[in-house]
């Protein structure tokens, strides 16, 4: 049996992003989301308990590599205050958790006390191709990378027992266009993620959708 987690990064980035992520879960294939806990719309994560099949994790965003352990503890504490429980998973904004030794060490220390699946730590094969930029937000924007065909290509790469595809779905608005170069493209991702044929395509590949909460139970 092979399982697929589809994680929507950036919950909280804006209210329009949140709207798109919830729609991608209800109407599409998103099974997990990770919260930017200091962002303007993070408080809406308090309402995600309405969606019991959606796992909710931390989208860790350290401002610097100084005192990463302290910063992680602060963000986890705020996450618990808003969401009501510890993160179901951890990933990082515009980097992999393994890209910086300071971040990797802080997360590993946290996970020794609080066992938590982390992107890139071997809990699932990470599939990064369904994104208009490189994983760190660099490179030239390409909307072709988030088309329906590109999503199918990402699904084709889900060959391990557990697999994770990241996405950045959402609706765009003036706030997002002013604060992020990745704005209108989120709506193209949303359309692909919610395409009526995509659930059947996942099944045809022998994959079962799951979330991070289910990983240790399977």
């Amino acid at each position: 049996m092979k399982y697929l987690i589809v994680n929507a990064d950036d919950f909280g980035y804006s209210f329009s992003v949140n709207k798109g992520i919830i729609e991608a879960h209800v109407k599409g294939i998103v099974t997990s989301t990770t919260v930017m806990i200091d962002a303007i719309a993070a408080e809406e994560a308090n309402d995600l308990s309405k969606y019991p099949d959606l796992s909710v994790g931390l989208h860790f965003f350290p401002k610097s590599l100084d005192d990463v352990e302290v910063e992680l503890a602060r963000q986890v504490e705020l996450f618990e205050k808003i969401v009501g429980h510890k993160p179901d998973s951890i990933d990082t904004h515009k980097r992999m958790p393994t890209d910086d030794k300071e971040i990797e060490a802080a997360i590993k220390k946290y996970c020794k006390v609080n066992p938590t699946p982390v992107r890139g730590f071997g809990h699932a094969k990470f599939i990064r191709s369904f994104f208009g930029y490189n994983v760190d937000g660099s490179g030239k924007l390409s909307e072709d990378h988030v088309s329906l065909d590109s999503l199918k290509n990402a699904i084709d790469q889900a060959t391990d027992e557990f697999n994770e595809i990241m996405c950045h779905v959402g609706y765009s608005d003036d706030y997002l266009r002013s604060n992020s170069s990745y704005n209108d493209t989120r709506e193209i991702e949303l359309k692909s993620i919610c395409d009526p044929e995509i659930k059947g395509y996942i099944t045809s590949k022998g994959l079962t959708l799951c979330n991070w909460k289910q990983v240790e139970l399977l």
Side-chain angles (χ1 to χ4, degrees):
M1 186 72 75
K2 295 186 296 182
Y3 299 94
L4 177 63
I5 297 159
V6 182
N7 189 85
D9 292 18
D10 293 351
F11 191 94
Y13 202 124
S14 73
F15 296 101
S16 61
V17 166
N18 292 357
K19 178 183 176 182
I21 289 174
I22 291 169
E23 182 173 322
H25 172 63
V26 173
K27 297 182 179 180
I29 59 171
V30 162
T31 61
S32 174
T33 190
T34 42
V35 182
M36 296 179 70
I37 208 64
D38 290 321
I40 64 163
E43 289 284 345
E44 286 194 338
N46 178 256
D47 295 327
L48 293 178
S49 59
K50 297 176 183 176
Y51 308 98
D53 294 329
L54 182 72
S55 61
V56 184
L58 176 66
H59 197 54
F60 183 44
F61 186 18
K63 301 297 191 296
S64 74
L65 296 179
D66 298 326
D67 299 321
V68 176
E69 188 177 332
V70 173
E71 178 61 13
L72 177 61
R74 183 192 69 81
Q75 291 193 26
V76 168
E77 182 180 7
L78 182 55
F79 180 97
E80 287 188 72
K81 181 179 179 181
I82 293 174
V83 181
H85 59 76
K86 291 184 182 297
D88 293 321
S89 65
I90 297 174
D91 54 42
T92 43
H93 187 59
K94 289 190 176 181
R95 49 162 55 94
M96 288 292 289
T98 53
D99 284 349
D100 302 286
K101 65 181 187 299
E102 296 89 348
I103 293 174
E104 182 176 10
I107 294 176
K108 283 184 174 179
K109 185 174 181 180
Y110 170 83
C111 290
K112 284 183 179 180
V113 179
N114 307 278
T116 308
V118 180
R119 178 176 290 167
F121 275 24
H123 300 102
K125 178 182 180 181
F126 177 52
I127 301 165
R128 66 183 73 198
S129 60
F130 187 68
F131 188 33
Y133 286 126
N134 296 325
V135 70
D136 63 354
S138 66
K140 183 179 179 181
L141 179 63
S142 175
E143 294 181 352
D144 289 342
H145 291 170
V146 294
S147 66
L148 181 60
D149 285 342
S150 292
L151 179 55
K152 289 180 177 179
N153 178 264
I155 293 167
D156 290 345
Q157 297 173 52
T159 55
D160 287 10
E161 181 180 8
F162 293 102
N163 308 270
E164 179 196 8
I165 293 175
M166 74 169 180
C167 66
H168 297 79
V169 295
Y171 284 101
S172 191
D173 59 14
D174 290 342
Y175 175 84
L176 196 62
R177 293 185 191 103
S178 297
N179 288 275
S180 173
S181 62
Y182 205 69
N183 40 67
D184 295 351
T185 309
R186 293 176 188 263
E187 296 191 11
I188 301 173
E189 285 203 25
L190 180 61
K191 183 178 179 180
S192 298
I193 287 286
C194 292
D195 190 281
E197 71 176 84
I198 206 65
K199 288 184 179 179
Y201 189 79
I202 289 170
T203 301
S204 74
K205 294 297 178 177
L207 292 161
T208 299
L209 286 168
C210 74
N211 61 46
W212 284 116
K213 292 186 291 186
Q214 296 170 285
V215 168
E216 63 181 6
L217 303 177
L218 296 171

